[in-house]
């Protein structure tokens, strides 16, 4: 086997195993939107691309990702345990920055013909989020800038949201209020640092 062919096979193997835009560890200061995008400029490129394509504001994306994964591209739900010691699988198939479930992720890839999209890639995860929230806007009339209700529809699914399933979950209502509060905070921070650092 020639060296060139061997090198190409190694590159393809590395890429298929998650090379390229790996998630890496979360940013250092998750309470400062300016620090997040300064530390990870490729995050901002992903957020802005999603805002252009789907209309979801950067701060809404950031607040939702913070709640879902704390910007950890490898985030998974905890294991379920039997008798406190026997692992019985994870609580759900949610994975990555956006904590997309297997079935919903497959639907997104099929509908958008993005068959190589990965949930631990910030560009793919934000595009998924934009796609999902755009559908919530179309089907439920939820404004793209309404972080609270977009999050509730994201968490409960559009059918659950339309039935008001979240009203029986006081903990989820508290979480959605925190998402809204964080979105406002991120928006204010990005406005203050945007011009100074050339972000916007």
């Amino acid at each position: 086997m020639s060296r060139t062919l061997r090198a190409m096979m190694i590159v393809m193997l590395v890429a298929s195993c998650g090379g390229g835009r790996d998630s890496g560890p979360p940013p250092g200061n998750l309470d400062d939107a300016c620090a997040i995008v300064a530390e990870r400029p490729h995050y901002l490129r992903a957020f802005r691309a999603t805002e252009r394509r789907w209309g979801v504001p950067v701060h809404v994306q950031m607040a939702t990702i913070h709640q879902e994964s704390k910007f950890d591209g490898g985030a998974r739900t905890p294991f379920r345990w039997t008798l406190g010691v026997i692992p019985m699988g994870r609580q759900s198939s949610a994975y990555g920055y956006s904590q997309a479930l297997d079935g919903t992720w497959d639907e997104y890839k099929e509908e958008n013909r993005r068959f190589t999209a990965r949930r631990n890639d910030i560009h793919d995860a934000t595009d998924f989020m934009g796609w999902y929230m755009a559908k919530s806007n179309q089907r439920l009339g939820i404004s793209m800038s309404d972080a609270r209700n977009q999050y509730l529809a994201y968490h409960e699914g559009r059918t659950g949201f339309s039935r008001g399933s979240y009203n029986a979950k006081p903990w989820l209502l508290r979480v959605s209020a925190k998402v809204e509060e964080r979105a406002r905070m991120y928006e204010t921070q990005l406005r203050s640092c945007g011009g100074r650092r050339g972000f916007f």
Side-chain angles (χ1 to χ4, degrees), residues 121-157:
D121 183 310
I122 191 69
H123 295 268
D124 296 333
T126 57
D127 193 69
F128 165 83
M129 186 175 290
W131 166 81
Y132 194 92
M133 291 182 173
K135 283 185 174 288
S136 295
N137 172 258
Q138 293 163 4
R139 296 180 186 178
L140 303 171
I142 303 172
S143 167
M144 296 296 206
S145 59
D146 184 348
R148 177 184 179 276
N149 285 308
Q150 281 287 1
Y151 180 76
L152 288 171
Y154 192 84
H155 187 277
E156 295 294 275

Side-chain angles (χ1 to χ4, degrees), residues 101-197:
L101 297 170
D102 288 351
T104 315
W105 186 256
D106 290 343
E107 180 187 344
Y108 159 76
K109 291 198 298 182
E110 179 72 29
E111 188 171 310
N112 292 280
R113 304 193 63 75
R114 298 193 65 182
F115 302 110
T116 61
R118 295 181 297 125
R119 287 177 277 185
N120 66 341
D121 183 310
I122 191 69
H123 295 268
D124 296 333
T126 57
D127 193 69
F128 165 83
M129 186 175 290
W131 166 81
Y132 194 92
M133 291 182 173
K135 283 185 174 288
S136 295
N137 172 258
Q138 293 163 4
R139 296 180 186 178
L140 303 171
I142 303 172
S143 167
M144 296 296 206
S145 59
D146 184 348
R148 177 184 179 276
N149 285 308
Q150 281 287 1
Y151 180 76
L152 288 171
Y154 192 84
H155 187 277
E156 295 294 275
R158 286 181 284 273
T159 301
F161 180 88
S162 63
R163 292 176 180 163
S165 60
Y166 51 88
N167 287 316
K169 301 175 181 178
W171 63 269
L172 181 57
L173 292 172
R174 288 192 296 273
V175 168
S176 65
K178 288 181 181 178
V179 171
E180 181 178 41
E181 182 181 340
R182 181 166 293 272
R184 287 181 183 149
M185 179 183 78
Y186 280 163
E187 182 180 24
T188 301
Q189 291 170 344
L190 289 168
R191 281 180 180 164
S192 70
C193 71
R196 189 170 69 250
R197 298 188 184 177

Side-chain angles (χ1 to χ4, degrees), residues 8-167:
M8 287 175 54
M9 289 178 65
I10 291 170
V11 168
M12 289 175 64
L13 179 63
V14 169
S16 70
C17 292
R21 297 185 292 199
D22 269 343
S23 58
N29 184 357
L30 299 183
D31 291 327
D32 186 338
C34 299
I36 292 170
V37 298
E39 184 177 337
R40 303 288 164 79
H42 64 289
Y43 281 15
L44 183 59
R45 290 192 292 274
F47 298 141
R48 292 171 87 178
T50 293
E51 184 174 41
R52 285 191 300 271
R53 183 175 185 196
W54 300 107
V56 181
V58 169
H59 59 276
V60 173
Q61 296 174 57
M62 292 182 73
T64 304
I65 288 176
H66 178 275
Q67 179 57 45
E68 290 296 281
S69 66
K70 301 295 187 285
F71 292 89
D72 179 359
R76 293 183 185 275
T77 57
F79 279 105
R80 291 173 296 166
W81 300 87
T82 298
L83 304 175
V85 293
I86 304 170
M88 298 298 292
R90 296 194 180 271
Q91 292 176 2
S92 79
S93 62
Y95 172 64
Y97 289 107
S98 60
Q99 288 294 282
L101 297 170
D102 288 351
T104 315
W105 186 256
D106 290 343
E107 180 187 344
Y108 159 76
K109 291 198 298 182
E110 179 72 29
E111 188 171 310
N112 292 280
R113 304 193 63 75
R114 298 193 65 182
F115 302 110
T116 61
R118 295 181 297 125
R119 287 177 277 185
N120 66 341
D121 183 310
I122 191 69
H123 295 268
D124 296 333
T126 57
D127 193 69
F128 165 83
M129 186 175 290
W131 166 81
Y132 194 92
M133 291 182 173
K135 283 185 174 288
S136 295
N137 172 258
Q138 293 163 4
R139 296 180 186 178
L140 303 171
I142 303 172
S143 167
M144 296 296 206
S145 59
D146 184 348
R148 177 184 179 276
N149 285 308
Q150 281 287 1
Y151 180 76
L152 288 171
Y154 192 84
H155 187 277
E156 295 294 275
R158 286 181 284 273
T159 301
F161 180 88
S162 63
R163 292 176 180 163
S165 60
Y166 51 88
N167 287 316

